[in-house]
Amino acid sequence: MAHPVATEPVHRLVPSPAGRIHLVEQGRGPLVLLVHGFPESWYSWRHQLPVLAAAGYRAVAVDVRGYGRSSRPEGADAYRLLELVEDNVAVVRALGEESAVIVGHDWGSTIAATSALVRPEVFRAVGLLSVAYAPPGGPRPSEVFAGTPGPEEFYVSYFQQPGRAEAEIEPDVRGWLAGFYAALSADTMPGADAPDPHFVAPGGTLRERFPSGRRPGWLGEAELDVYAAEFERTGLTGALGRYRAMDRDWADLAPYNGAPVTCPSLFVGGALDASTTWLADAIAAYPTTLPALHGSHLLDGCGHWIQQERPETVNRLLTEWLAALPS
């Protein structure tokens, strides 16, 4: 007898190298694994889970290690990309599957691309939201970010020292998150003449440059409550571990320097997102770096939180792409 499709999201904990991974699944069919970015959670995919389920897929959104109800190992080494890839593999196996399509946003995009790069036998296709794929290699990341011209400090460098960003964020997690989300959302991001919120002035904080008292349209009180409650409970150190492992990734992934991701792929970015501007050369290189690319889409008037700012468009692009994949 056929099993009924799960019409409501189901929460589960599964074992992984991290200890445990919390996930939320909905629907039955081919597995689609959804991986969030910073500073988010499985909840970032709340608009995608029911749509993918209705389209005939087993949609599964994880809390990346360091977030939510997933384990939070200590030390930056625990947040290397190769560790996160193995968490994803463990999720696929724990769900009784042999393979999955993987889709990521922000850091999740990098995690998804790396998963497809190093474990192609498990991840048969990859969708990338907001952050473009750039093959491993090049200069050491800490040297790149430390070399930003001028006296201001790039946010990635600001995040490196354990405890520093936490001291800014954790006294008022809810307010900080609201400002961070607003700074990168199309309808509330600072204008071109305002100080760039991706940089910190000498002796300053990131929060000083967040929009004051403005909330993006996609972020109501209820949504902010969910995010804030998670980070008030867990703190930010696990989430920030991803940034603090970047130099370790550079060494770990040296065998893959310059390598393309050859499985079927999709890219969707926001035209107003700084990530798409910074990585414009990477997007232009897709014919070489993503040779099986199905489509590359920049959504006009859209910022960084793409699947929450433009859920209908992202859902349409994802379901059309998934339907076109070989079974």
Side-chain angles (χ1 to χ4, degrees):
M1 186 171 69
H3 293 286
V5 172
T7 56
E8 297 297 327
V10 176
H11 293 253
R12 295 179 62 180
L13 296 173
V14 300
S16 84
R20 69 176 182 273
I21 293 293
H22 169 245
L23 59 85
V24 179
E25 66 173 312
Q26 192 168 357
R28 296 187 185 275
L31 178 59
V32 180
L33 189 64
L34 305 170
V35 186
H36 67 81
F38 176 88
E40 301 180 85
S41 77
W42 75 268
Y43 184 71
S44 306
W45 301 102
R46 63 195 177 279
H47 300 300
Q48 284 67 52
L49 286 166
V51 172
L52 294 178
Y57 299 96
R58 186 182 189 183
V60 173
V62 300
D63 278 338
V64 174
R65 70 164 67 185
Y67 289 83
R69 291 170 59 192
S70 293
S71 292
R72 297 186 301 279
E74 293 186 6
D77 276 350
Y79 297 92
R80 289 150 49 212
L81 283 170
L82 291 183
E83 296 286 338
L84 303 179
V85 169
E86 291 309 306
D87 283 345
N88 291 336
V89 172
V91 168
V92 173
R93 300 288 186 247
L95 294 174
E97 304 285 355
E98 293 298 318
S99 67
V101 175
I102 188 167
V103 179
H105 170 256
D106 183 76
W107 264 124
S109 176
T110 303
I111 296 165
T114 307
S115 298
L117 177 66
V118 306
R119 296 300 299 268
E121 77 282 8
V122 177
F123 300 103
R124 62 186 183 91
V126 61
L128 310 175
L129 303 186
S130 299
V131 173
Y133 175 65
R140 188 184 296 271
S142 59
E143 296 172 356
V144 173
F145 297 124
T148 305
E152 297 187 336
E153 186 177 14
F154 192 48
Y155 78 100
V156 175
S157 296
Y158 179 71
F159 284 167
Q160 292 303 307
Q161 181 182 337
R164 187 180 179 201
E166 290 93 324
E168 172 186 342
I169 301 168
E170 292 185 1
D172 177 19
V173 170
R174 193 175 194 277
W176 193 92
L177 289 173
F180 191 78
Y181 297 145
L184 306 185
S185 296
D187 54 346
T188 48
M189 63 177 53
D193 56 343
D196 190 333
H198 297 91
F199 290 84
V200 179
T205 64
L206 274 174
R207 184 172 186 157
E208 292 169 357
R209 295 186 171 182
F210 294 166
S212 178
R214 298 165 61 198
R215 189 77 57 79
W218 63 267
L219 187 70
E221 292 293 324
E223 289 80 11
L224 182 56
D225 283 345
V226 172
Y227 285 121
E230 288 291 80
F231 287 109
E232 286 169 352
R233 179 174 56 81
T234 65
L236 272 291
T237 297
L240 290 164
R242 178 78 288 280
Y243 291 93
R244 294 166 185 166
M246 294 176 71
D247 279 355
R248 295 164 177 83
D249 299 330
W250 180 81
D252 287 345
L253 296 174
Y256 299 91
N257 283 357
V261 171
T262 58
C263 66
S265 55
L266 174 74
F267 175 73
V268 188
L272 299 181
D273 184 0
S275 297
T276 59
T277 303
W278 296 333
L279 295 172
D281 289 346
I283 295 171
Y286 278 167
T288 300
T289 61
L290 295 176
L293 183 69
H294 176 85
S296 179
H297 308 271
L298 284 182
L299 307 186
D300 289 339
C302 185
H304 183 68
W305 316 106
I306 187 166
Q307 77 270 41
Q308 299 177 89
E309 292 186 52
R310 296 288 183 83
E312 295 84 4
T313 302
V314 169
N315 289 344
R316 175 179 59 80
L317 291 171
L318 284 176
T319 53
E320 290 175 353
W321 171 64
L322 289 167
L325 293 175
S327 57

